[in-house]
Amino acid sequence: MFDQLFSPFSIRGKTIKNRCTVPAMVTDFCNEDGTATERYIAYHEEKAKGGWGLIITEDYNVDPLGHGFKATAGLWNDDQIESHSELPKRVHKYGATILAQIYHCGRQTNSGAIDGLPRSSSAIMCPFGDEIPVPLTTEEVKEMVCKYGDTALRAKKCGFDGVEIHGAHGYLITQFLSLYSNKRIDEYGGNFWNRTRFAREIIKDIREKCGEDFIIGMRISADEFVEGGLTIEDNKAIARMMEAEGLDIIHVSVGNYLSVDLNVASSHSSHGWFTDWAKAIKDVVSIPVITVSRINDPFLADSILASNKADFIAMGRASLADPEMPIKAQEGRFEDIRRCIGCNDGCIGTLFNDEPIRCVLNPELGLEYEGGIQLAEVKKNITVVGSGPAGLYAAITAAKAGHQVTVYEKGEHAGGQFYIAAIPPTKGEITDFIVWQLAQCKKLGVDIKYNTEATLELIKKTNPDSIILASGSEPILPPISGLKENSKTTFAKDILDGKVKPGSHCVIIGGGQVGAETAHFLSQMLKGVTVVEMKDTIASDAPLAIQWHLTRALKERNVIMLTGTSVVRVNENAVIVKDSHGIETELPADTIIVAAGYRAFNPLAEELAAANVNVQVIGDAKQVRNVLAATTEGYLAGKTV
């Protein structure tokens, strides 16, 4: 079924067993001195176990001033070789090929991260920075070329099969390639030949130092999607020049920090949305091409290969969600594949706070070194209350540990608030995860009893050994005059769940992610929508890529967004609001939708405590947060119950 995806490919005498590729993704799993940790090594080893053919590690810094995050890998000195030498050994054990991505972030960092001013091609600030970078002198550029080559040589000494030069996403090499950032007038600026000189010299230096049996790849941004930036035509020429210099494989991405919503595309971008750019590069070179972005399923991957758009398929966030995807696909276990939903919560949202990456769907990510779920010495009868993501993860994990698990759900289906979150446009893949959870429960013998409320009497009757309470949350009704009494008032969840028919003029109170996505949903139904938000921005609680796409979509759908605005009162036909200047406005409304947040719902916890029954409270039932907290707490509760 996957003849393309699982066919081998040879480069520089090394046979890559299949086309399933893990691209470089910063994890923040290393030590701050750039040395490897067991956590970092085990994370990559898990992917090798899972059947990935080509693994490209996160950015190995070529210089101590070259990293954008504190706990990233480094091979800028010989003292770092020993700790990283264990990684290729562990990956090779499972037949995978491994490349070390090497990079310098240039201006896309700050003095807090590198203990010095950023360096770049020119003295132009990063859009997300607040420091003017120091331009590298001509001599310093030549020294930097040597640093890339020396780092590659250290990677070879570690046992890596090759390196991938990071020439994409607005990092230092791109800062030389692109007129968007390169305003130099020396031999590294101005014309096309000069702007590519830095990258060409790096390839040449690596080849001279590492020999003919060493793979040299390069990642490029086919289009920067910024005014004055690189375009696909520029990069077709760049790709040909790099091939002529001795490049072995080219990895086609897009964007830079100003277009970060595209180079880490969320669910608002379609699957494989820029594979045509990879095809455009492939058409002008003879070396293999890697494509990437929003490819989260083996059927998609194989189809792209069959279309001759690329030679390898990079599925980064998909590998975070399920490191065993290749093996599961080969074995035909499609219902067991946990597919990335493009939420960007744990992988990107967490990382941008300079914290180790997580995955909403895979709470074991980053914990591989702990050894996974162990069989319990004493098998228990476990009751889980609630079948949202927290409850079902607790049930799955406890069942894997050997316990007998029963889930009580007072509603008619699973998913809780996460099911509601799947209703707005671009969010439908969330149902894939709910289906995955249910499939795992079925395979593990978890008994889910729907339309059954767990009461104190039921608990006493069934007498479980342990209880995990994951009863979720309920929406908050703010104390606004006239709101509670108005028959036109409803909650966002009831609109999304199809329990309330919206009118033609909808006013949404609350412009966080829930309110904004409800507005998006209603605007697709051609309803008139006004969002009232007290903060200065819409969807400020959403990951950056989601926020940017969502606000653009609302503008395109003519949704009125009133920020810095509060609701004063509600009458029979309108919502009265006040802006930051104290000016009141009356907004006609035939449907008033409240999206003002949630609070924990756990009445059973107090009853159980009063009856001296031990219970773990997890997820929103404990404290309203995001789904990342829910799945994590569910996993840990099931593991330690």
Side-chain angles (χ1 to χ4, degrees):
M1 188 176 294
F2 301 110
D3 292 343
Q4 304 283 333
L5 191 59
F6 293 105
S7 61
F9 198 107
S10 295
I11 304 175
R12 293 277 170 183
K14 296 177 172 63
T15 299
I16 301 170
K17 66 180 181 179
N18 61 47
R19 315 303 180 87
C20 299
T21 303
V22 178
M25 292 173 288
V26 174
T27 63
D28 256 9
F29 288 166
C30 287
N31 296 311
E32 290 192 16
D33 64 358
T35 55
T37 61
E38 174 58 23
R39 185 183 194 185
Y40 176 74
I41 294 169
Y43 157 82
H44 287 97
E45 183 182 16
E46 192 72 14
K47 298 182 190 303
K49 287 181 187 177
W52 298 86
L54 178 61
I55 296 173
I56 307 172
T57 67
E58 70 177 53
D59 316 326
Y60 274 80
N61 299 294
V62 304
D63 185 279
L65 299 181
H67 59 91
F69 302 92
K70 286 187 176 180
T72 51
L75 280 172
W76 64 78
N77 67 52
D78 290 347
D79 293 339
Q80 296 162 323
I81 293 174
E82 182 179 359
S83 71
H84 289 286
S85 296
E86 181 68 15
L87 174 55
K89 294 177 188 175
R90 301 260 285 269
V91 165
H92 286 152
K93 186 167 59 175
Y94 299 96
T97 302
I98 185 166
L99 307 182
Q101 188 183 79
I102 58 177
Y103 99 132
H104 190 297
C105 64
R107 71 182 187 180
Q108 292 184 167
T109 186
N110 59 78
S111 56
I114 63 173
D115 196 25
L117 286 174
R119 311 305 296 273
S120 186
S121 59
S122 303
I124 302 173
M125 289 173 57
C126 170
F128 285 99
D130 60 0
E131 298 167 318
I132 298 175
V134 178
L136 293 166
T137 66
T138 303
E139 184 57 35
E140 286 174 331
V141 177
K142 295 183 184 300
E143 292 173 1
M144 189 64 70
V145 168
C146 292
K147 289 181 179 181
Y148 274 88
D150 291 344
T151 298
L153 181 57
R154 293 187 190 100
K156 183 173 184 178
K157 290 178 179 179
C158 287
F160 287 96
D161 300 297
V163 294
E164 178 181 82
I165 304 161
H166 201 338
H169 301 167
Y171 292 120
L172 185 60
I173 291 175
T174 318
Q175 289 162 34
F176 277 85
L177 291 173
S178 176
L179 285 170
Y180 163 70
S181 47
N182 186 345
K183 313 297 179 180
R184 301 174 72 94
I185 55 173
D186 65 353
E187 63 189 274
Y188 292 98
N191 63 63
F192 204 59
W193 181 252
N194 280 358
R195 285 184 284 113
T196 59
R197 188 187 304 276
F198 184 41
R200 290 185 286 107
E201 289 180 347
I202 288 171
I203 294 172
K204 182 179 179 181
D205 194 66
I206 292 173
R207 182 63 68 206
E208 289 175 351
K209 290 174 177 174
C210 296
E212 296 300 317
D213 63 341
F214 195 68
I215 298 172
I216 303 176
M218 183 173 175
R219 197 173 203 188
I220 64 170
S221 285
D223 196 312
E224 288 191 279
F225 293 112
V226 297
E227 301 91 330
L230 294 168
T231 68
I232 184 59
E233 293 304 324
D234 295 324
N235 278 289
K236 284 159 65 175
I238 289 171
R240 295 180 68 196
M241 295 168 77
M242 299 306 144
E243 179 183 18
E245 202 62 57
L247 195 69
D248 297 312
I249 186 168
I250 193 159
H251 189 167
V252 182
S253 186
V254 295
N256 57 36
Y257 271 25
L258 188 57
S259 49
V260 67
D261 56 319
L262 297 176
N263 65 44
V264 284
S266 70
S267 60
H268 285 259
S269 296
S270 57
H271 293 132
W273 70 277
F274 60 80
T275 54
D276 286 343
W277 278 264
K279 171 63 172 171
I281 299 295
K282 183 172 170 57
D283 284 344
V284 298
V285 298
S286 58
I287 57 176
V289 170
I290 305 173
T291 192
V292 69
S293 193
R294 287 284 288 137
I295 305 168
N296 65 351
D297 187 282
F299 290 102
L300 290 171
D302 197 68
S303 178
I304 292 166
L305 292 172
S307 301
N308 201 34
K309 290 185 174 183
D311 302 287
F312 290 85
I313 307 295
M315 296 177 274
R317 286 170 294 171
S319 76
L320 301 182
D322 197 334
E324 296 180 310
M325 178 194 283
I327 282 180
K328 291 176 180 177
Q330 281 186 296
E331 295 176 353
R333 294 161 49 207
F334 307 122
E335 76 283 358
D336 290 338
I337 295 174
R338 191 171 37 198
R339 295 166 185 82
C340 171
I341 60 175
C343 68
N344 282 6
D345 275 324
C347 51
I348 303 301
T350 302
L351 182 65
F352 279 3
N353 291 322
D354 210 357
E355 297 174 3
I357 63 169
R358 309 277 299 283
C359 179
V360 163
L361 311 185
N362 177 16
E364 294 181 77
L365 175 68
L367 302 179
E368 294 87 355
Y369 69 100
E370 293 184 350
I373 301 165
Q374 306 297 318
L375 281 175
E377 293 182 4
V378 178
K379 306 300 188 292
K380 298 179 180 179
N381 179 19
I382 309 297
T383 286
V384 176
V385 180
S387 67
L392 289 188
Y393 234 116
I396 291 166
T397 309
K400 284 184 176 180
H403 302 298
Q404 182 64 45
V405 184
T406 302
V407 178
Y408 293 97
E409 169 56 53
K410 70 176 182 178
E412 60 186 16
H413 61 74
Q417 299 295 348
F418 209 38
Y419 172 77
I420 303 299
I423 307 300
T426 82
K427 302 295 291 295
E429 284 175 291
I430 287 176
T431 58
D432 192 326
F433 177 64
I434 299 172
V435 169
W436 177 84
Q437 285 195 308
L438 292 173
Q440 303 315 299
C441 285
K442 183 176 181 180
K443 290 181 67 172
L444 292 164
V446 173
D447 185 13
I448 304 177
K449 297 184 181 297
Y450 296 108
N451 300 307
T452 305
E453 184 173 1
T455 62
L456 181 59
E457 291 72 26
L458 178 63
I459 298 298
K460 289 181 176 179
K461 180 180 178 181
T462 55
N463 193 30
D465 297 309
S466 295
I467 302 166
I468 299 173
L469 182 59
S471 49
S473 59
E474 61 182 5
I476 295 171
L477 188 71
I480 296 171
S481 176
L483 183 63
K484 183 177 181 180
E485 301 80 14
N486 198 307
S487 62
K488 296 172 183 176
T489 298
T490 188
F491 289 110
K493 73 180 189 68
D494 293 324
I495 289 287
L496 294 172
D497 204 18
K499 294 180 178 178
V500 174
K501 180 180 177 181
S504 299
H505 302 285
C506 301
V507 174
I508 300 176
I509 301 174
Q513 186 172 356
V514 172
E517 289 182 340
T518 303
H520 194 192
F521 171 76
L522 290 169
S523 68
Q524 273 205 345
M525 298 171 66
L526 305 181
K527 305 298 182 183
V529 184
T530 300
V531 180
V532 183
E533 170 56 42
M534 296 177 67
K535 293 182 180 179
D536 293 332
T537 55
I538 294 292
S540 61
D541 55 336
L544 190 62
I546 300 284
Q547 184 191 29
W548 286 8
H549 278 285
L550 190 51
T551 51
R552 279 199 296 264
L554 295 182
K555 289 176 183 177
E556 290 171 1
R557 294 278 178 183
N558 298 315
V559 171
I560 299 171
M561 292 174 276
L562 303 179
T563 56
T565 303
S566 59
V567 177
V568 178
R569 61 188 178 279
V570 171
N571 62 32
E572 185 178 352
N573 299 309
V575 175
I576 294 84
V577 300
K578 181 171 64 176
D579 65 17
S580 58
H581 302 290
I583 299 173
E584 291 191 3
T585 304
E586 188 173 281
L587 306 175
D590 51 21
T591 307
I592 302 169
I593 302 164
V594 178
Y598 287 80
R599 61 180 164 225
F601 178 76
N602 55 12
L604 186 59
E606 295 182 6
E607 294 183 44
L608 292 172
N612 294 317
V613 178
N614 185 39
V615 60
Q616 284 193 72
V617 183
I618 63 172
D620 280 1
K622 178 180 180 181
Q623 180 185 348
V624 175
R625 290 149 296 164
N626 58 24
V627 72
L628 177 61
T631 52
T632 300
E633 289 179 1
Y635 168 74
L636 293 175
K639 187 178 180 182
T640 59
V641 69

